[in-house]
Amino acid sequence: MQSSDSTVRVVTILDYVGLLWILGLFIEKDNQDVRFHTNQGLILFITEIIVGVLCFFLRFIPFVGGLLSGLLGLLCVVYMVLGILHAVNGQRRPLPVIGTLFTFIR
């Protein structure tokens, strides 16, 4: 079955939205772009989990904890938007700082 460009584009965009990176493991899994963006989405998802746990503990620090939690949450949203923009433009650029840490999907 021949993959359509629009299917690849939609899957690469959805890879950056929470748990939806799982779609890249099953849909168009042989496409290099899909594998790249699925890997980046998985790295972002793991980062979001770590940030969530960190924010849970930071909430016990008055004012500073809330500020840091907000900034870390905003950083995750910025990474998600940046990844989606790369996917929309068809670029294989890793996310800054976290994008080159691991390669889970080859």
Side-chain angles (χ1 to χ4, degrees), residues 16 43-45 47-52 54-55 66-84 95-99 101:
Y16 293 98
I43 292 169
L44 179 60
F45 182 69
T47 303
E48 289 170 347
I49 290 173
I50 293 169
V51 165
L54 188 61
C55 288
L67 182 65
L68 285 175
S69 294
L71 290 175
L72 288 172
L74 180 63
L75 182 64
C76 286
V77 171
V78 167
Y79 275 176
M80 181 178 68
V81 170
L82 189 60
I84 290 172
L95 296 171
V97 181
I98 63 170
L101 294 177

